[in-house]
């Protein structure tokens, strides 16, 4: 019997005809994470409106439209903060400074890879702080901590989807193991040997 699961998917789902633009599993999971998070955050905010005395006089349709508009703006802030923060974190912690000093535009070549999750956390903190500062002019009760409450569930969901993308990309590998649920990655992104490993990406997703 096999003591490990062999995993070697093509990271590319398909290429857009005529444009030769590849659609990658990682990008799809990244987008799905933010899409599901958006839907959940809207429901959280609608519930908040229904429970808050200041908004109870408004009808449900109005509250839902208001929640959509607010979360739509918040999502833009968080997505930009996530990508810029993750990219900046990668360059600070993992890249040789000469890489971006010799070619500053490399920072914006996201498709070349290089996103650090801890940098993304800092980016999200900065983005939500800025969003809270701007929206409090209209909604005084939307403090920074309140904004964090709204995204407390969606944020780890998005992170889980991104880790599934890492699993398809065969990156962020676990340590070698002989456990029965070990995974042999056929073509690891770091070009390491295809040996049975802990599926660390799935652990983190869970």
């Amino acid at each position: 019997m096999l003591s490990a699961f062999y995993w070697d998917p093509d990271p590319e789902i398909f290429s857009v005809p005529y444009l030769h633009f590849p659609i990658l599993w990682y990008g799809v999971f990244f987008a799905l994470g933010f899409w599901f998070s958006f839907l959940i955050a809207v429901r959280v905010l609608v519930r908040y409106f229904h429970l808050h005395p200041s908004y109870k006089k408004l009808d449900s349709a109005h509250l839902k439209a208001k929640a959509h508009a607010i979360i739509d703006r918040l999502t833009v802030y968080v997505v930009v903060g996530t990508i810029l923060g993750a990219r900046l974190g990668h360059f600070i912690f993992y890249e040789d400074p000469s890489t971006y000093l010799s070619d500053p535009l490399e920072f914006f070549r996201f498709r070349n890879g290089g996103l650090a999750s801890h940098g993304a956390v800092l980016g999200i903190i900065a983005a939500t702080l800025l969003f809270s500062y701007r929206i409090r002019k209209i909604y005084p009760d939307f403090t920074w901590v309140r904004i964090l409450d709204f995204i407390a569930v969606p944020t780890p969901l998005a992170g889980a989807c991104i880790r599934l993308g890492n699993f398809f990309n065969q990156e962020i590998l676990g340590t070698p193991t002989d456990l029965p649920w070990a995974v042999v990655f056929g073509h690891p992104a770091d070009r390491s040997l295809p040996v049975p490993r802990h599926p660390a990406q799935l652990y983190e997703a869970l």
Side-chain angles (χ1 to χ4, degrees), residues 1-205:
M1 294 179 61
L2 293 176
S3 61
F5 176 72
Y6 185 75
W7 181 248
D8 193 21
D10 188 340
E12 180 180 318
I13 306 174
F14 64 90
S15 184
V16 178
Y18 305 109
L19 298 179
H20 305 293
F21 187 82
I23 303 299
L24 307 179
W25 283 108
Y26 182 84
V28 169
F29 278 110
F30 200 99
L32 282 176
F34 282 105
W35 173 246
F36 290 139
S37 297
F38 171 83
L39 297 177
I40 292 173
V42 168
R43 292 179 66 88
V44 169
L45 186 53
V46 168
R47 183 170 176 79
Y48 171 77
F49 282 153
H50 278 301
L51 296 174
H52 198 285
S54 301
Y55 305 104
K56 280 188 174 181
K57 58 185 178 182
L58 300 175
D59 61 88
S60 295
H62 192 179
L63 290 179
K64 190 169 184 179
K66 187 187 292 289
H68 263 275
I70 293 171
I71 298 302
D72 192 52
R73 287 180 59 192
L74 176 58
T75 299
V76 172
Y77 276 76
V78 172
V79 169
V80 172
T82 298
I83 295 175
L84 293 183
R87 191 66 170 157
L88 187 61
H90 172 78
F91 272 84
I92 291 174
F93 297 111
Y94 301 114
E95 280 286 352
D96 188 322
S98 62
T99 302
Y100 49 89
L101 291 177
S102 60
D103 183 13
L105 291 179
E106 179 62 27
F107 180 86
F108 299 100
R109 298 187 182 108
F110 302 111
R111 292 187 66 84
N112 291 347
L115 299 173
S117 56
H118 38 294
V121 172
L122 296 177
I124 291 172
I125 290 173
T128 50
L129 277 169
L130 179 59
F131 179 80
S132 174
Y133 171 76
R134 298 194 65 179
I135 202 169
R136 266 186 295 174
K137 299 173 184 178
I138 306 172
Y139 301 96
D141 55 310
F142 279 30
T143 63
W144 180 58
V145 174
R146 181 73 68 196
I147 298 298
L148 295 183
D149 280 343
F150 295 153
I151 66 171
V153 172
T155 300
L157 174 63
C161 288
I162 291 170
R163 283 295 177 259
L164 291 177
N166 295 137
F167 186 67
F168 274 79
N169 265 10
Q170 304 186 51
E171 56 194 2
I172 312 182
L173 305 178
T175 55
T177 181
D178 58 359
L179 290 171
W181 58 83
V183 176
V184 175
F185 294 94
H187 292 85
D190 62 1
R191 295 181 174 83
S192 59
L193 293 174
V195 299
R197 296 176 177 276
H198 283 284
Q201 314 93 325
L202 301 184
Y203 295 165
E204 291 192 29

